[in-house]
Amino acid sequence: MIESVLNKWSREIESNITDSNTLCIAIFNKDRSLIFANSAIKELFRDLDPADSLLNPSFDKLIIKDCPDCNIYKGYITIGDYSAINNSILGTVYRKDDQMLIIGGADSAQLMHQNLMMHNLNREIGNLQRQLIKEKRNLEETLKKLNEVNKELNDANATKDKFFSIIAHDLKNPFTALLGFTEFLRTNFRTLDVKEAEEMIEMLYSSSNTTYKLLEDLLLWSRSQLGKVTFNPEPVKLQEIWKELSEQLSVQAEDKGIILNFKDTLGIELYCDRNMVKTIIRNLVSNAIKFSYKGSDVDIKVHLNGDMAQITVSDKGVGIEKEKIEKLWVVGAHNSTAGTENESGTGLGLVLCKEFIQTNGGEIRVESEIGKGSDFIFTIPVNK
């Protein structure tokens, strides 16, 4: 029965045996010559001599066994050479007359073990891939932080360059004027009439006042960059702050015939750092005077907006171009322009204003129209 079935399928069985990648079959003569080898065992022989490829048990041990027509070996057969990693199959060796048949392959336990090893290897590869992805993200985050640090360094360099530019240029010019005026007075004082002397003294005062304000802004700004300006919020009336500033600012305004109008009908009490808010208002009103035309008004108005006081400093001056507004708050943007009477400045005052407003929890914005004036609007918390 089995023989008839095998005979029926002999061609198909023969084809699959010859081309099999898992079932190994080889037939040798007693003289070590290879009669037949299918695809699977050829791969194991590689380019070696087939008989010499049988390492354990060796060809010589198998062929001398005295069993002319029987099973002469069953177990693992190692095929290869001693210079490489070799393969083993679970096989059986038969003898018939002067020929020897080797047939075998991998057993199921070995395959299961290999599959398990492959599964574990794939799992390790997956873990390694996840670790690499994590490391990549960490490196990207580190690179992002380095880029931020680099930007901060670039900003710091721009700030440093602006600082030295101010010292080299903006401070040198007023001191040159001061030295020139004092040298002229020293040489010509006795020949000047009273009116000429008054004019010279007035110019000296104006130049000295400008230089002092510049130094004041420089020192305050440098302290703020070093984190040495302390923040001490307290309840303080806006009217009190204005009272302390009005005399100084009125002198500046009177020189250009400008009227200062302060309006705080509510008597608002702020919760802020008194010195910072004084610096903010002094700079904004001083700038408004600087860029106002002679005989115009500068208005300082305040009203409540929720739990914030909104303070507006308005002038009727030259106005600011839209593309220049964002640059007002950037050190080193070279945005300083001369006033309507050619008054000089550095732009540091506005930078300080924004820093101090934000420190106090407020915001600042600008609304401006060329030839009609500007409104600087900022908020400061009120005392609850």
Side-chain angles (χ1 to χ4, degrees):
M1 176 69 178
I2 295 176
E3 185 177 355
S4 63
V5 171
L6 292 176
N7 286 334
K8 180 179 180 179
W9 294 99
S10 61
R11 187 166 48 182
E12 288 80 7
I13 293 171
E14 180 183 347
S15 174
N16 279 274
I17 287 174
T18 303
D19 298 331
S20 175
N21 290 322
T22 55
L23 180 64
C24 296
I25 298 177
I27 302 173
F28 288 88
N29 266 326
K30 185 177 180 181
D31 62 2
R32 301 173 63 93
S33 61
L34 179 67
I35 299 173
F36 170 81
N38 74 340
S39 298
I41 203 164
K42 282 179 180 179
E43 288 291 324
L44 300 183
F45 290 154
R46 300 194 294 275
D47 56 351
L48 305 171
D49 178 81
D52 290 338
S53 296
L54 302 179
L55 299 181
N56 188 25
S58 67
F59 181 89
D60 293 334
K61 286 183 178 178
L62 291 171
I63 203 67
I64 63 172
K65 288 196 175 182
D66 188 16
C67 185
D69 190 9
C70 65
N71 178 343
I72 57 175
Y73 178 82
K74 187 172 185 178
Y76 283 104
I77 303 170
T78 302
I79 301 173
D81 69 279
Y82 293 108
S83 64
I85 297 174
N86 302 304
N87 296 285
S88 295
I89 62 171
L90 184 62
T92 304
V93 182
Y94 299 93
R95 277 274 306 279
K96 279 188 180 181
D97 301 326
D98 292 335
Q99 294 183 353
M100 181 173 68
L101 168 67
I102 299 173
I103 184 167
D107 68 6
S108 59
Q110 186 178 15
L111 290 172
M112 290 292 289
H113 178 68
Q114 289 174 346
N115 288 338
L116 179 61
M117 289 179 65
M118 287 300 299
H119 172 74
N120 291 337
L121 179 61
N122 288 333
R123 185 173 62 185
E124 289 300 319
I125 291 172
N127 291 336
L128 181 59
Q129 287 176 333
R130 284 188 289 273
Q131 185 65 28
L132 288 173
I133 291 170
K134 183 179 178 182
E135 291 297 326
K136 181 187 174 198
R137 288 174 181 167
N138 290 339
L139 287 173
E140 287 173 347
E141 189 65 27
T142 301
L143 182 60
K144 181 180 176 183
K145 290 178 181 178
L146 286 174
N147 287 335
E148 291 171 356
V149 170
N150 189 49
K151 183 180 181 303
E152 290 175 1
L153 287 173
N154 288 336
D155 292 343
N157 279 330
T159 300
K160 177 199 69 177
D161 292 343
K162 178 64 175 176
F163 185 78
F164 285 114
S165 171
I166 291 166
I167 293 174
H169 181 269
D170 296 283
L171 269 180
K172 181 181 177 181
N173 285 347
F175 271 108
T176 300
L178 283 171
L179 289 170
F181 289 143
T182 52
E183 175 63 22
F184 182 84
L185 282 174
R186 187 174 69 87
T187 306
N188 302 291
F189 180 74
R190 295 183 185 281
T191 62
L192 295 175
D193 60 31
V194 174
K195 186 177 180 182
E196 287 176 323
E198 285 178 348
E199 288 176 356
M200 291 296 297
I201 292 169
E202 182 62 32
M203 285 188 285
L204 273 171
Y205 171 77
S206 177
S207 184
S208 300
N209 192 45
T210 300
T211 307
Y212 176 77
K213 287 179 180 176
L214 172 57
L215 280 172
E216 195 174 40
D217 282 346
L218 270 173
L219 291 171
L220 191 55
W221 175 69
S222 63
R223 288 179 62 210
S224 73
Q225 298 308 297
L226 295 171
K228 291 185 178 181
V229 177
T230 56
F231 176 56
N232 297 312
E234 60 179 336
V236 56
K237 291 273 190 180
L238 181 60
Q239 291 173 345
E240 293 177 10
I241 292 177
W242 177 250
K243 187 176 179 181
E244 294 173 13
L245 292 170
S246 59
E247 184 176 347
Q248 175 190 351
L249 292 169
S250 294
V251 172
Q252 183 186 351
E254 286 170 6
D255 290 340
K256 296 180 73 169
I258 293 171
I259 298 173
L260 301 180
N261 301 309
F262 176 77
K263 298 175 184 177
D264 178 18
T265 56
L266 299 175
I268 289 176
E269 186 175 55
L270 307 175
Y271 187 74
C272 63
D273 185 292
R274 185 189 197 99
N275 292 326
M276 286 187 179
V277 173
K278 281 179 65 176
T279 300
I280 294 163
I281 295 175
R282 174 175 61 80
N283 274 293
L284 292 180
V285 175
S286 181
N287 271 3
I289 296 168
K290 173 182 171 181
F291 292 104
S292 290
Y293 297 110
K294 277 189 174 181
S296 61
D297 290 3
V298 170
D299 298 321
I300 303 96
K301 297 174 288 187
V302 59
H303 71 270
L304 282 174
N305 185 4
D307 57 356
M308 304 293 282
Q310 180 172 294
I311 303 167
T312 304
V313 178
S314 305
D315 66 65
K316 298 174 181 64
V318 296
I320 309 168
E321 296 174 5
K322 286 184 178 179
E323 59 270 19
K324 289 186 177 181
I325 288 178
E326 285 303 315
K327 296 180 180 179
L328 292 174
W329 324 112
V330 181
V331 175
H334 306 292
N335 50 31
S336 179
T337 56
T340 54
E341 295 295 309
N342 207 34
E343 301 99 324
S344 62
T346 64
L348 274 181
L350 287 177
V351 175
L352 278 170
C353 285
K354 184 170 184 179
E355 287 185 14
F356 287 174
I357 288 167
Q358 289 177 338
T359 300
N360 279 274
E363 296 177 347
I364 186 169
R365 72 179 195 275
V366 182
E367 296 175 1
S368 186
E369 190 174 348
I370 298 296
K372 292 188 178 181
S374 304
D375 293 341
F376 282 77
I377 305 155
F378 68 97
T379 55
I380 296 290
V382 296
N383 188 37
K384 297 179 182 179

